[in-house]
Amino acid sequence: MTEVEKTLTGFGNRVNSKARKILKQKDKNTSGALSKSLDWDIKQMPNSIRFALVWEDYGEFIDKGVHGKGGSKKDGSKWKKKKVFGSKYKYKSKRPPKDAFNGWTIRRGIAPRDKKGKFLKRNSILYAIANSVYHTGLETTHFMTTPFTQEFKSLPNDVVVAYGLDLEDTLKFIVK
């Protein structure tokens, strides 16, 4: 492994470690799937190196947030939208699928009861949660954006130093 690859590996590890910590702090990782999916990929090419952070597709929505549709409830009160900053994502007419919340409700122990104390049907709960998310949106967490920005500040200098060490090693090899 070259010094540049070692530097990028350290960068990826630090970003993902901080991202996992933020997910845990903000309680956005109930199944653990998003946290476990955080990884990075380095591909060495003849004239360049490609570095990419990778995670579950839905992680983008958790990081950036999704603007809710808003509107009024049946009782006439307004839906309170979540705080979303700079996200291009928004609910317009298509609601999130209710089944996407099935495992989440189980892990959270959500099992509401009616006025008589009977458990509500799971479909009713899932629909209500999907409807709420549609109207209120998903709050911006910046679980990946913040650590990436923090760690990237020192990355260019680190890569230059690592590249210099790699170049030095190559020159020593050539001279022998």
Side-chain angles (χ1 to χ4, degrees):
M1 182 181 285
T2 67
E3 292 298 321
V4 171
E5 288 174 316
K6 287 178 188 175
T7 299
L8 291 174
T9 296
F11 170 76
N13 287 338
R14 288 188 307 276
V15 169
N16 285 340
S17 176
K18 288 180 178 182
R20 284 185 186 98
K21 187 176 179 181
I22 292 171
L23 283 172
K24 188 174 181 179
Q25 286 173 342
K26 295 192 176 197
D27 200 22
K28 297 291 183 181
N29 198 31
T30 56
S31 73
L34 182 56
S35 183
K36 288 175 190 169
S37 76
L38 298 179
D39 204 358
W40 44 261
D41 182 47
I42 298 174
K43 185 172 183 177
Q44 184 94 26
M45 294 173 268
N47 297 321
S48 62
I49 295 177
R50 185 191 68 133
F51 177 85
L53 292 166
V54 294
W55 61 81
E56 292 281 346
D57 291 340
Y58 70 88
E60 181 84 9
F61 303 118
I62 303 296
D63 184 57
K64 305 288 186 211
V66 181
H67 294 278
K69 178 76 172 167
S72 298
K73 298 179 186 179
K74 286 185 179 181
D75 66 2
S77 63
K78 298 276 185 196
W79 286 97
K80 185 178 179 190
K81 292 184 183 182
K82 303 268 175 78
K83 294 179 182 177
V84 181
F85 305 101
S87 177
K88 63 183 178 182
Y89 304 112
K90 58 179 135 186
Y91 290 111
K92 295 177 185 173
S93 60
K94 190 175 178 183
R95 297 172 191 273
K98 65 179 176 51
D99 294 333
F101 300 101
N102 193 28
W104 182 84
T105 58
I106 292 167
R107 284 186 295 278
R108 294 287 183 166
I110 297 173
R113 299 172 186 253
D114 64 13
K115 292 177 183 175
K116 295 179 182 178
K118 292 183 184 177
F119 286 109
L120 294 173
K121 292 182 180 179
R122 180 152 303 281
N123 269 343
S124 300
I125 298 163
L126 297 177
Y127 176 79
I129 291 171
N131 191 46
S132 174
V133 169
Y134 171 73
H135 287 287
T136 62
L138 294 174
E139 181 179 30
T140 300
T141 64
H142 286 157
F143 80 93
M144 183 58 76
T145 302
T146 300
F148 178 84
T149 304
Q150 290 170 349
E151 291 298 323
F152 189 77
K153 289 177 182 173
S154 64
L155 184 63
N157 292 335
D158 294 346
V159 170
V160 168
V161 170
Y163 183 74
L165 292 172
D166 285 341
L167 184 60
E168 189 176 301
D169 289 344
T170 302
L171 292 174
K172 284 179 185 176
F173 179 76
I174 293 172
V175 171
K176 287 184 182 180

